[in-house]
Amino acid sequence: MSKVEQNKKAWSLLAEDHYNHYKTQFQKDTYQFNPIVQRELGDITGKKILHLQCNTGADSIVLAKMGGVVTGVDLVPDNTYFAGKLARDLGVENINFVTSDIMELMDTHEGKYDIVFTSDGAIGWLPDLDRWAQTIRYFLNDDGFFYAHDAHPFFLALDEEKLKEGITEIKYPYFSREPDEDNTIGGYASEPKESKNYFWMYTISELVNSLVGAGLSIEFLNEHDRCAPGMGGIAIDQDNLCYYPFLDGAFPLTFSLQARLARPRVVAG
C-alpha cells in the first residue's frame, strides 16, 4: 500500500467522529472559524471557492455561510460523504463535495474558481508541493487568488510534548526529505486511532518557490504566534486562538499566504 493510500485509510477512521464533533459544535453555535482567516479573506460573497483537503467540511460550510459558492475536495470518500451529510443537516445549499487525490485533481475535475483555499492541518499530507502548486494555478480564474493558512514549519519541527513543558527542542528535522511515520492519528476532534500514517515536512521556501514556479505571485506572507484550537498551544486568548505564554510574541505557530497569477512585466519601449 502506498503512503498516500495508507493516509487515506487512516483518515477514514476519523470521518464519522469528525462529523459528529462538528455537527454538535454547529448546532450549539460554538464552531469558530479562524478570525485571522476571516479577516484576511475579506468579503467572499458570490465567489466560487475551491477548498482543497476539506476534511469533513466544517470550514467549507463556514465559507458557504459567508456567501461563497463552495466546492470542497478531499482524498477520503468517507470525509466527503460526511461533509455532504453535515451540509444537508445544516441546510447549507451553495456547496458540494468532490472525492479526489489533490495530486490527480487536474485529471478528474473541471472548472475555474475565484478563490482556491486551504486551511489548518492540510499541507503536510501532500507528497509533492510542485504538483500542488500547479493544481492551484490550473483552477484559478485569471483575476482569482489562492489563500492558505496552516501550521508554520518552524513550529512543526519542535517536540510537541516537550513544548507543553516550555522546552523548545527539535524533534522533526526542518529540512527532512523523508515523511515522518506515525502509528496513531487524530486527537483534536476524535479520540486517537491506531493506524499508520505519513506526514511530509515542508519549508517556507518550498511553499513559496512551488507557487512562484507554477506562475503565481505572492501578495503577502504573514506569520502568527497563535493557532486554532486543536492545533497546539496551552492557553487561549480573547479571540479563542491558542498560544504558548512562554513563546508569546517570540515564535511563529502559523502562517498565512495569499497569491495571484503573476502578470507579465511591461517593458517600456
Side-chain angles (χ1 to χ4, degrees):
M1 183 181 295
S2 73
K3 293 179 176 64
V4 171
E5 285 297 314
Q6 186 62 57
N7 284 349
K8 182 178 177 180
K9 176 183 175 183
W11 278 100
S12 70
L13 299 177
L14 306 177
E16 187 168 8
D17 285 355
H18 282 190
Y19 159 76
N20 288 323
H21 174 82
Y22 292 124
K23 181 178 179 179
T24 298
Q25 287 196 332
F26 277 114
Q27 288 176 332
K28 293 182 177 179
D29 197 26
T30 58
Y31 184 78
Q32 182 180 1
F33 195 54
N34 190 315
I36 295 171
V37 177
Q38 186 164 5
R39 181 180 68 250
E40 292 182 336
L41 276 181
D43 184 6
I44 60 171
T45 303
K47 301 293 187 182
K48 287 186 62 180
I49 302 173
L50 183 66
H51 182 184
L52 303 180
Q53 297 168 272
C54 67
N55 197 269
T56 50
D59 279 358
S60 305
I61 287 169
V62 175
L63 294 172
K65 286 176 174 287
M66 291 169 62
V69 181
V70 181
T71 297
V73 183
D74 200 87
L75 169 71
V76 182
D78 285 345
N79 278 351
T80 52
Y81 167 78
F82 281 110
K85 181 173 172 57
L86 183 59
R88 291 190 298 273
D89 290 346
L90 299 173
V92 180
E93 297 182 349
N94 49 324
I95 193 167
N96 69 92
F97 295 95
V98 174
T99 305
S100 177
D101 184 341
I102 299 301
M103 301 293 101
E104 300 171 359
L105 189 61
M106 288 188 287
D107 301 321
T108 61
H109 184 66
E110 292 295 331
K112 293 291 184 179
Y113 293 86
D114 303 307
I115 302 171
V116 177
F117 173 89
T118 193
S119 55
D120 296 328
I123 295 172
W125 301 100
L126 299 171
D128 185 345
L129 291 185
D130 287 339
R131 180 70 173 177
W132 169 76
Q134 291 160 11
T135 300
I136 292 164
R137 169 66 180 85
Y138 180 83
F139 287 105
L140 267 181
N141 281 329
D142 288 346
D143 58 351
F145 66 86
F146 168 64
Y147 179 87
H149 183 283
D150 211 330
H152 200 296
F154 287 178
F155 173 49
L156 292 175
L158 299 178
D159 186 315
E160 57 270 57
E161 294 305 317
K162 290 184 178 180
L163 189 57
K164 296 174 185 177
E165 302 170 3
I167 302 170
T168 53
E169 183 176 300
I170 298 295
K171 180 179 180 180
Y172 308 100
Y174 184 71
F175 294 104
S176 176
R177 309 309 302 177
E178 295 298 319
D180 178 65
E181 180 180 315
D182 202 345
N183 291 315
T184 62
I185 192 167
Y188 65 95
S190 167
E191 289 298 317
K193 311 285 187 182
E194 293 289 330
S195 186
K196 186 176 293 185
N197 60 91
Y198 299 89
F199 187 90
W200 286 266
M201 176 61 85
Y202 51 89
T203 69
I204 289 293
S205 59
E206 285 174 326
L207 288 170
V208 169
N209 290 337
S210 67
L211 293 167
V212 171
L216 298 175
S217 177
I218 308 300
E219 290 196 312
F220 65 73
L221 171 62
N222 294 327
E223 298 168 295
H224 315 280
D225 62 356
R226 299 290 191 271
C227 62
M231 301 299 295
I234 58 173
I236 299 178
D237 69 9
Q238 68 276 9
D239 294 321
N240 200 38
L241 290 172
C242 298
Y243 68 106
Y244 296 93
F246 49 86
L247 290 177
D248 193 15
F251 196 89
L253 303 185
T254 60
F255 75 93
S256 54
L257 177 152
Q258 184 168 297
R260 292 183 185 269
L261 301 189
R263 305 299 182 188
R265 291 184 178 180
V266 177
V267 180

